[in-house]
Amino acid sequence: MASAAIEKLPHLKSATDGLNEMSDNERSGFINLVSRYLSGEAQHIEWSKIQTPTDEIVVPYDKMDNVSEDASETKYLLDKLVVLKLNGGLGTTMGCTGPKSVIEVRDGLTFLDLIVIQIENLNNKYGCKVPLVLMNSFNTHDDTQKIVEKYTNSNVDIHTFNQSKYPRVVADEFVPWPSKGKTDKDGWYPPGHGDVFPSLMNSGKLDAFISQGKEYVFVANSDNLGAVVDLKILKHLIQNKNEYCMEVTPKTLADVKGGTLISYEGKVQLLEIAQVPDEHVNEFKSIEKFKIFNTNNLWVNLKAIKKLVEADALKMEIIPNPKEVDGVKVLQLETAAGAAIRVFILF
């Protein structure tokens, strides 16, 4: 497939150049992703090379230093933090329209209400200004802009930006679907949450936070209320100058499809079920061989993000996602934020 399709890249590129809905950054990001895919980068993992990560890499939570009772130390830590929630998903699978984050969870409060309350409590208690950033997609942007107005009087600065908008590719012709006349939302897709790093940079917010003295961003799914600011983790990262940390948890039989961490060719990387050869899927689901899974709670150093985005070094594994929409077979190429673990300095 790759060798036959690579000849179609110039045609795909010229068709993409004609899509006025895309920014220059989106165009170059999309063509870069497709080029990497066509060169064979989305190939399956060589199963025999997989190793289990060492204890040096997976640090037990109870071995981290506790944070002192001194409120000034806590404020010092929190003043370096930005909280970012991935807010690009719709609530369709949960039976609602609009962003997933506005689904009511309990006592009339939505996911987003509870997130704002959590951060506001930290800001009130310690006299800090932890900002909340929402990464929206074109599917959730308009609704979210209206919804955040209700928090105007809260003690939380709320920022929003949009992740990239890429065209779905018609599988048999290898051309962008919108260039074939599919101009509604179904012709486009948000390319996974791995896009958070370049999109944060392109929005101008990354540089703004760095100039304010912020050092780390805590990234989590907007529908994960267990993803709270953990001061022990923040302290550990600042003390050890780690660029990247992924919260993992012991895998249970309920989590067999979740991504896991592996050592592969000398690097730590995320292994998702979509990358696993069919004959090894059952082994991947085993809780004996793969004992941990990725919660998608990520702590990342802001200057490290800037350095890697500027160097075009964020080569995350590509996840091909073939779909059939309105009877047309399309391909969307995605990346996952957890996959960036292989390019950051962990310790």
Side-chain angles (χ1 to χ4, degrees):
M1 142 98 190
S3 58
I6 200 128
E7 296 162 16
K8 297 182 178 175
L9 189 60
H11 180 50
L12 180 95
K13 188 175 183 309
S14 67
T16 304
D17 287 341
L19 298 175
N20 296 328
E21 301 95 323
M22 299 178 80
S23 68
D24 289 344
N25 283 326
E26 286 171 326
R27 265 194 211 95
S28 62
F30 173 67
I31 293 300
N32 189 317
L33 193 61
V34 173
S35 304
R36 287 177 53 216
Y37 170 71
L38 294 179
S39 70
E41 278 196 42
Q43 288 169 351
H44 286 310
I45 295 275
E46 273 192 59
W47 202 253
S48 59
K49 292 185 179 178
I50 289 176
Q51 294 179 307
T52 305
T54 64
D55 287 346
E56 184 186 19
I57 292 160
V58 183
V59 180
Y61 182 76
D62 55 14
K63 293 210 173 148
M64 291 181 176
D65 291 343
N66 287 317
V67 177
S68 78
E69 299 291 313
D70 182 355
S72 63
E73 185 196 353
T74 303
K75 182 181 186 304
Y76 167 80
L77 296 172
L78 289 171
D79 280 340
K80 296 181 180 297
L81 184 66
V82 174
V83 173
L84 189 153
K85 299 290 181 175
L86 302 168
N87 191 50
L90 293 167
T92 19
T93 54
M94 295 181 180
C96 94
T97 55
K100 201 184 289 184
S101 59
V102 301
I103 294 172
E104 194 176 304
V105 183
R106 61 183 297 176
D107 302 334
L109 298 171
T110 65
F111 285 114
L112 195 51
D113 291 336
L114 292 164
I115 289 164
V116 171
I117 290 166
Q118 286 171 346
I119 298 175
E120 188 171 40
N121 283 343
L122 285 175
N123 287 342
N124 288 342
K125 185 173 180 181
Y126 297 106
C128 51
K129 291 292 281 184
V130 176
L132 171 62
V133 186
L134 301 174
M135 181 173 84
N136 302 325
S137 67
F138 62 88
N139 288 318
T140 62
H141 172 75
D142 291 346
D143 285 341
T144 301
Q145 292 305 97
K146 291 177 199 150
I147 290 155
V148 296
E149 287 175 12
K150 71 188 269 197
Y151 307 116
T152 308
N153 296 322
S154 69
N155 185 19
V156 182
D157 289 337
I158 299 177
H159 305 256
T160 63
F161 70 96
N162 269 19
Q163 73 173 114
S164 302
K165 175 181 175 179
Y166 287 178
R168 285 175 162 150
V169 175
V170 179
D172 56 354
E173 299 173 67
F174 221 79
V175 292
W177 204 9
S179 71
K180 302 275 294 175
K182 186 65 174 174
T183 52
D184 64 11
K185 279 189 173 182
D186 283 345
W188 302 85
Y189 75 100
H193 44 59
D195 184 53
V196 63
F197 305 118
S199 289
L200 182 62
M201 174 91 171
N202 295 338
S203 72
K205 295 192 182 297
L206 181 67
D207 283 331
F209 289 133
I210 290 171
S211 71
Q212 291 164 21
K214 305 294 185 188
E215 292 183 16
Y216 283 90
V217 59
F218 173 45
V219 180
N221 297 342
S222 62
D223 59 346
N224 181 2
L225 292 174
V228 294
V229 172
D230 191 309
L231 294 167
K232 263 176 78 163
I233 296 175
L234 182 57
K235 179 180 178 177
H236 180 85
L237 297 177
I238 291 170
Q239 272 182 342
N240 294 282
K241 298 186 167 54
N242 301 115
E243 289 187 351
Y244 188 104
C245 167
M246 173 190 290
E247 292 183 37
V248 294
T249 191
K251 194 168 168 179
T252 71
L253 291 172
D255 314 309
V256 292
K257 291 185 179 177
T260 191
L261 282 184
I262 57 171
S263 288
Y264 190 76
E265 297 183 329
K267 290 196 168 181
V268 182
Q269 68 182 63
L270 182 68
L271 178 64
E272 297 276 12
I273 197 164
Q275 299 165 279
V276 177
D278 291 345
E279 66 270 23
H280 293 293
V281 166
N282 284 339
E283 197 180 343
F284 173 82
K285 290 180 176 180
S286 152
I287 60 174
E288 299 303 318
K289 178 163 183 173
F290 299 104
K291 293 181 167 53
I292 55 174
F293 90 104
N294 167 28
T295 63
N296 216 38
N297 296 353
L298 310 170
W299 302 73
V300 195
N301 180 278
L302 295 173
K303 285 182 179 172
I305 295 172
K306 180 176 168 71
K307 178 184 69 180
L308 288 166
V309 172
E310 285 180 340
D312 192 25
L314 274 171
K315 308 289 188 195
M316 288 165 273
E317 291 90 345
I318 297 167
I319 304 165
N321 188 356
K323 289 179 178 270
E324 189 166 314
V325 184
D326 295 344
V328 178
K329 287 186 174 157
V330 295
L331 177 66
Q332 48 190 64
L333 302 176
E334 303 174 9
T335 60
I341 193 167
R342 69 175 181 168
V343 295
F344 286 92
I345 297 167
L346 301 182
F347 47 83

